[in-house]
Amino acid sequence: GFEGNVADADWVRFRGYACRVRFLNFDENDHIFEKEGSFIAFSAIQTLAVVHPFGSSLLPNLERLSWCCTRDDTALSVLPFVSPSLSTLKLDVEEAVSDESFQRLLRSLAHRAPNVEHFKLSTARPITNINEHLTQWFSSTLKLRSATMPQYFHPPGILASLGRLQQLEELATDWLYPTTDYTEGGSSLLFPNGYYPSLRSLHFHSSLALATKLFRSPGPVSQLKEVCFSTRKCYPLKSLKTLLSALARSCPQLEVLLLNFSTVIIQEDTRRASSH
């Protein structure tokens, strides 16, 4: 624990080690698997975050940060570990975190982590109450190269914000909290011309109709080299062939195609075929 006052000499020694740290993973759920003495209690992290005398950043050279937000205090306590040196940020936001804390966290990121290149968000929360804040966060990440988000986190505002990023190469879907609730507005992956100039890899979850519409539309799909399409519904083979035809015409540079169906595709005219 951190009882009493920490001596100045201790802070100097701590700073020497803090400047060497390049990767930090925080998840309170992990401590049950750790050996005794190898887990840093969250109370100690809270104290460090509040009393350290080093300005806004506790670990000034941190490059990769993975943080599990289990409740409001753990969500906001990540901020002293976020700095301009950060290139990879992974956030796991659990349902106990309030909308207000989630929003405050996203607002704060825009000023603290302008150089993030790889961002991953895992959450079971709906996008409704954080849509605006996530859109603003993406508009500030000018160096972003890859973005991974939960299912149905692709409404028009976020897609437009991401599409303006000149260096974005990969757009992917996170499956840590799979959901069966289909949200049409959160799956509207339509890319207008002039957006996503560097996009090469697209992993997404939607209906077959929206996927076919995407690949029939002009725009950045023509430059894709990797596509992973996932869906949970049953579709006739005719519809699947329509999608594949659209892909073949619209993606001349495609090298990798992954189709994930969690249910059996229905064969059309099965009764008529079985009668012959």
Side-chain angles (χ1 to χ4, degrees):
F2 288 82
E3 298 179 1
N5 295 323
V6 180
D8 291 342
D10 294 327
W11 281 122
V12 172
R13 190 180 303 112
F14 173 85
R15 187 64 167 180
Y17 287 107
C19 290
R20 302 178 188 178
V21 179
R22 298 294 186 271
F23 169 70
L24 176 65
N25 174 54
F26 175 76
D27 186 346
E28 281 190 301
N29 300 319
D30 285 347
H31 78 280
I32 59 175
F33 303 107
E34 302 288 344
K35 295 180 180 179
E36 184 177 356
S38 62
F39 177 76
I40 301 177
F42 176 65
S43 58
I45 291 179
Q46 277 187 309
T47 303
L48 274 174
V50 172
V51 304
H52 78 90
F54 306 121
S56 61
S57 180
L58 185 59
L59 304 176
N61 298 317
L62 192 68
E63 297 174 357
R64 293 178 294 142
L65 175 62
S66 178
W67 194 278
C68 181
C69 308
T70 55
R71 54 186 188 273
D72 287 351
D73 53 356
T74 56
L76 298 177
S77 293
V78 67
L79 295 178
F81 299 93
V82 179
S83 71
S85 65
L86 207 62
S87 63
T88 299
L89 177 61
K90 298 179 181 180
L91 294 176
D92 178 1
V93 182
E94 298 188 355
E95 291 186 278
V97 177
S98 67
D99 288 337
E100 181 182 1
S101 293
F102 204 165
Q103 293 166 1
R104 288 176 61 191
L105 172 59
L106 292 172
R107 281 198 303 269
S108 299
L109 288 178
H111 307 290
R112 296 172 183 265
N115 298 314
V116 167
E117 297 179 5
H118 307 281
F119 176 69
K120 180 178 181 180
L121 174 63
S122 303
T123 186
R125 306 285 295 278
I127 194 174
T128 309
N129 295 326
I130 61 166
N131 188 358
E132 178 182 352
H133 300 83
L134 192 57
T135 299
Q136 292 175 354
W137 150 242
F138 282 134
S139 67
S140 72
T141 57
L142 301 181
K143 297 183 180 180
L144 197 67
R145 293 172 53 196
S146 68
T148 303
M149 292 178 292
Q151 300 172 69
Y152 316 130
F153 264 58
H154 304 103
I158 286 180
L159 287 180
S161 184
L162 286 170
R164 297 186 183 98
L165 302 177
Q166 299 298 305
Q167 300 183 43
L168 189 70
E169 300 173 353
E170 179 181 353
L171 190 58
T173 299
D174 175 65
W175 298 96
L176 182 60
Y177 298 101
T179 176
T180 57
D181 296 330
Y182 180 72
T183 306
E184 187 83 9
S187 301
S188 55
L189 281 168
L190 295 178
F191 305 141
N193 280 318
Y195 283 64
Y196 295 91
S198 301
L199 191 66
R200 298 295 181 269
S201 176
L202 177 62
H203 292 215
F204 69 106
H205 182 282
S206 77
S207 68
L208 198 64
L210 281 173
T212 303
K213 185 177 181 181
L214 167 65
F215 293 110
R216 281 178 169 173
S217 304
V221 294
S222 62
Q223 64 204 25
L224 290 174
K225 293 186 176 181
E226 178 177 304
V227 170
C228 176
F229 167 61
S230 303
T231 186
R232 284 195 172 90
K233 293 188 177 182
C234 295
Y235 295 100
L237 287 178
K238 181 179 180 181
S239 298
L240 180 57
K241 291 177 181 177
T242 301
L243 171 64
L244 294 176
S245 296
L247 273 164
R249 287 191 300 268
S250 302
C251 304
Q253 301 183 51
L254 194 64
E255 299 174 355
V256 178
L257 174 61
L258 302 172
L259 300 176
N260 296 325
F261 296 89
S262 59
T263 52
V264 178
I265 299 175
I266 299 175
Q267 172 66 57
E268 289 184 334
D269 302 325
T270 51
R271 286 179 294 179
R272 183 171 58 183
S274 62
S275 64
H276 293 288

